[in-house]
Amino acid sequence: MDTNATGPAATRATDGRRSRYDVVVVGAGPAGLGAALALARARRSVLVIDDGSPRNGPAGHVHNYLGREGTPPRELLAIGRREVTSYGGEVVTDRVTGAEPLDGGGFRVDRRDGVPVEARRLLVTTGLVDRLPDVDGLPDRWGTNVLHCPYCHGWEVRDRPIAVLATSPMSVRQALLWRQWTPDVTLILHDAPDPGGDDAERLAALGIDVVRGPAVAVEAEHDDVTGVRLTGGRLVPCRHIVVAPRFEARAELLAKLGLTTADFLVGEHAIGTHVPAEATGATAVPGVWVAGNVADPGETVIGAAAAGLRAAHGINLSLVTEAADAAVAARR
């Protein structure tokens, strides 16, 4: 009998923890916890390993998450951890330092604490890194006064003066979007070309001023932004700054398994990198799945949680099929 079909009697490490799991999930954001919850409810042994540095940690609240609107990000993750562990899943704070395939199938996962574990399947939900323009004061205010997504923050800063720092042709679309939430939008050409044609006409028609940069510093008094200082000394007044970072997938672990990142395109423009995968999150390496921002930089919190659920379904199906095939082989 293959006990893995209904939740394995896993072997134990000398310190009392399991040494082998059905699934190891790397990353305890919405994608990782969403997957772990579904897998634990499917009676799988699941270990989630996370280093405790969520991408949206600086933000005050999560938005557009039905039933959890306005929840602080770390509170949402704490709720998710409790839900996972209530079904027997395990969540630990640690850093995964490496992973490699095992000869008999599955993976060895190395941890900073020196205690490796084995996994039949591996789900990586490590997210991404936001690479911001080199402007003094910008990183310190990321997620508070320096924003990106209008759907995440637009309501909270509605009707306030906003400066959009243009770093690519995509920034025009960003300015047009933010105009939905406030009539006071200025587009600063940091290192983007002058908008022309239809773009220039749209900006003018909506009353969006276009100012040539580049920007050199964020000006602030106490916790409030007062403007953006340009290289020539001019100060563009604003209360909030909008910027499109370059989204780089946190894929170091996946590179060690033979997976490479690719440009993530919006139209013809590369806005960052991601790990290509099927709709279920299955990658080109058998047994390895991805979900969340490591696969799709544009995924929101609720979307990442849904992507984790899809990956969990794919992973569980692969394990069910594997067990069924083993039972057929044994019967023969």
Side-chain angles (χ1 to χ4, degrees):
M1 177 180 177
D2 182 2
T3 58
N4 286 316
T6 58
T11 57
R12 298 277 175 174
T14 55
D15 62 355
R17 290 177 298 178
R18 293 177 178 179
S19 62
R20 184 172 174 82
Y21 293 82
D22 284 331
V23 187
V24 167
V25 180
V26 185
L33 291 174
L37 177 60
L39 289 164
R41 284 178 50 82
R43 306 186 70 180
R44 296 295 177 188
S45 59
V46 184
L47 172 66
V48 184
I49 306 172
D50 184 80
D51 65 4
S53 56
R55 176 194 174 204
N56 64 350
H61 305 91
V62 169
H63 297 292
N64 300 311
Y65 198 129
L66 187 62
R68 295 292 182 184
E69 171 61 27
T71 303
R74 292 184 184 274
E75 180 180 326
L76 180 67
L77 298 182
I79 293 168
R81 286 178 177 234
R82 290 196 296 270
E83 291 175 346
V84 169
T85 56
S86 73
Y87 289 100
E90 298 176 43
V91 185
V92 298
T93 301
D94 201 351
R95 181 183 294 275
V96 172
T97 57
E100 60 183 34
L102 297 171
D103 291 339
F107 304 89
R108 170 191 165 110
V109 180
D110 294 317
R111 296 157 55 177
R112 182 174 52 193
D113 72 357
V115 180
V117 294
E118 295 181 4
R120 298 173 66 198
R121 300 292 186 270
L122 185 62
L123 172 60
V124 178
T125 63
T126 44
L128 58 80
V129 176
D130 299 290
R131 301 297 183 192
L132 298 173
D134 185 16
V135 175
D136 187 42
L138 209 60
D140 298 336
R141 298 180 179 278
W142 177 240
T144 54
N145 302 119
V146 177
L147 311 171
H148 164 60
C149 172
Y151 299 104
C152 301
H153 302 285
W155 175 264
E156 283 66 39
V157 302
R158 63 193 182 281
D159 297 327
R160 299 176 187 172
I162 288 174
V164 177
L165 208 58
T167 56
S168 78
M170 293 288 293
S171 298
V172 170
R173 187 176 76 171
Q174 204 170 22
L176 297 177
L177 272 173
W178 279 90
R179 180 61 177 76
Q180 172 69 21
W181 280 266
T182 176
D184 193 344
V185 178
T186 301
L187 182 66
I188 300 175
L189 302 178
H190 180 63
D191 54 8
D194 285 358
D198 291 342
D199 283 342
E201 192 168 3
R202 289 178 181 131
L203 292 168
L206 291 174
I208 299 174
D209 291 334
V210 179
V211 176
R212 288 179 175 80
V216 294
V218 176
E219 298 288 336
E221 293 181 0
H222 306 295
D223 292 332
D224 297 324
V225 167
T226 57
V228 177
R229 184 73 63 182
L230 307 182
T231 187
R234 176 181 173 183
L235 180 69
V236 178
C238 64
R239 291 281 306 281
H240 300 277
I241 301 167
V242 169
V243 62
R246 177 171 171 79
F247 305 120
E248 294 185 2
R250 294 181 62 185
E252 297 85 357
L253 175 64
L254 292 162
K256 295 177 181 179
L257 294 168
L259 289 167
T260 57
T261 59
D263 284 342
F264 188 86
L265 301 177
V266 175
E268 299 178 350
H269 304 290
I271 65 170
T273 62
H274 74 127
V275 176
E278 298 177 8
T280 62
T283 70
V285 174
V288 179
W289 269 256
V290 291
N293 288 140
V294 71
D296 183 352
E299 201 67 270
T300 60
V301 174
I302 194 170
L309 178 61
R310 289 193 298 272
H313 289 172
I315 291 169
N316 189 60
L317 180 59
S318 77
L319 290 168
V320 166
T321 304
E322 181 179 272
D325 289 346
V328 169
R331 184 182 184 190
R332 288 174 179 172

